[in-house]
Amino acid sequence: MQVLRGFEYRGIDSPVHRLDPRVKLIYSLCSMILVLIYTNGLVLAAIFLTSMPFVLLGHVMKRWLQMLKGLIPLLVLIFAVNVLFAPNVEGMAYATSMTLRFLALSSTFSIVFLTTAPDTMAMAFVKMGIPYEYTLAFTMAVRFLPTLARDLQRIIDAQRSRGLELEKGNILRRIRNFIPILVPLMVYEIRRSFQIAESMESRGFGFPRRRTFLHEVKFSRNDYLVLMLTLMLFSALIMVKIVLRVS
């Protein structure tokens, strides 16, 4: 649950929230490329730390920390699996780099979703030439994840109030205990999907005309500044990779 809270948009006024979504998407894309081509732990840690200015200026530290806290079991699992299959000094270094890689990617994309409204992101995608149908599917998925987490937590609380014990018994017993949670969750979300479909139909979704938006996204001076710094850092690390052959 805490992991999904780290990808839920929080509507506040901050310099990061006011940035054009395309700038934040370019930042996340550059970070993803660097994370995938580097295995050096120091470089990966530096890429992870580039998200700190966005976290501080965007006033999303609490949600960001919740996301990191929720990732701890998965990070431990990634590290343990890599160490298990390569139990030596190089294996430890590789496991650390894989863990930092996942951590950096999660932090980068968390900032994008925490500080960008789904509607604004949809407008940015349309400006980039992506068909609105695909844009709508993506933005609905972004909105749906936090909603799904809240619905799941409500159902768990309701079933616990009826005496359901999720933590007792062996692994098979615990899996069976989740059946009374998954069944009502699936039924509830299917009902929600029909409601969304009816709402879209009543609003004329798919009518073949050019879409317009109440607010338009456009680059500001801060957008150009952040974009320039992002591309400069990205280019510098690419040159380090090519010239100095840092792994």
Side-chain angles (χ1 to χ4, degrees):
M1 303 300 174
Q2 290 177 329
V3 174
L4 294 180
R5 292 294 299 276
F7 295 90
E8 183 179 6
Y9 171 68
R10 184 187 178 195
I12 61 176
D13 185 28
S14 76
V16 180
H17 285 73
R18 291 192 294 268
L19 286 176
D20 191 288
R22 289 168 289 184
V23 174
K24 288 180 274 190
L25 288 172
I26 291 172
Y27 161 74
S28 63
L29 179 62
C30 291
S31 299
M32 182 179 67
I33 294 173
L34 292 173
V35 163
L36 292 177
I37 66 175
Y38 273 102
T39 57
N40 185 283
L42 293 177
V43 177
L44 292 172
I47 296 172
F48 169 72
L49 291 177
T50 60
S51 61
M52 289 304 300
F54 293 96
V55 173
L56 295 174
L57 292 175
H59 307 296
V60 291
M61 177 65 76
K62 182 178 179 180
R63 293 285 182 90
W64 184 74
L65 290 176
Q66 285 179 341
M67 183 272 299
L68 294 184
K69 183 179 178 181
L71 282 179
I72 290 176
L74 188 55
L75 294 173
V76 172
L77 178 63
I78 293 172
F79 184 84
V81 169
N82 282 279
V83 170
L84 182 63
F85 285 97
N88 50 50
V89 176
E90 292 184 0
M92 289 287 290
Y94 182 77
T96 302
S97 67
M98 291 300 101
T99 306
L100 287 172
R101 177 178 287 179
F102 183 77
L103 184 63
L105 280 175
S106 301
S107 178
T108 299
F109 284 99
S110 174
I111 290 168
V112 176
F113 293 118
L114 278 173
T115 61
T116 309
D119 292 337
T120 307
M121 189 176 295
M123 286 188 286
F125 284 145
V126 171
K127 286 281 188 179
M128 295 163 62
I130 299 175
Y132 185 75
E133 289 77 8
Y134 301 119
T135 299
L136 180 65
F138 176 78
T139 53
M140 287 183 66
V142 172
R143 288 183 172 183
F144 185 73
L145 284 175
T147 303
L148 180 64
R150 286 194 295 267
D151 293 341
L152 179 60
Q153 188 60 55
R154 292 193 188 103
I155 293 172
I156 290 175
D157 293 340
Q159 297 293 49
R160 279 176 172 168
S161 69
R162 293 177 173 88
L164 180 65
E165 297 179 345
L166 299 175
E167 292 81 12
K168 288 190 176 182
N170 56 31
I171 185 68
L172 294 178
R173 177 64 180 173
R174 293 186 182 187
I175 293 175
R176 286 197 297 268
N177 287 341
F178 273 91
I179 295 177
I181 293 173
L182 295 179
V183 172
L185 179 66
M186 292 175 61
V187 172
Y188 188 73
E189 299 310 328
I190 290 173
R191 288 180 179 176
R192 186 192 297 275
S193 67
F194 280 112
Q195 294 173 354
I196 294 173
E198 291 172 356
S199 177
M200 292 170 61
E201 186 177 358
S202 68
R203 288 166 171 79
F205 179 76
F207 189 71
R209 292 187 62 182
R210 183 176 179 273
R211 299 189 62 88
T212 59
F213 294 92
L214 179 62
H215 302 288
E216 294 289 340
V217 291
K218 57 183 180 180
F219 275 44
S220 65
R221 183 176 60 183
N222 290 337
D223 293 318
Y224 285 111
L225 177 61
V226 173
L227 180 61
M228 182 181 66
L229 292 175
T230 299
L231 294 178
M232 287 175 59
L233 180 60
F234 176 74
S235 302
L237 288 175
I238 291 293
M239 292 301 297
V240 168
K241 178 72 174 179
I242 296 174
V243 177
L244 301 181
R245 299 186 181 277
V246 177
S247 61

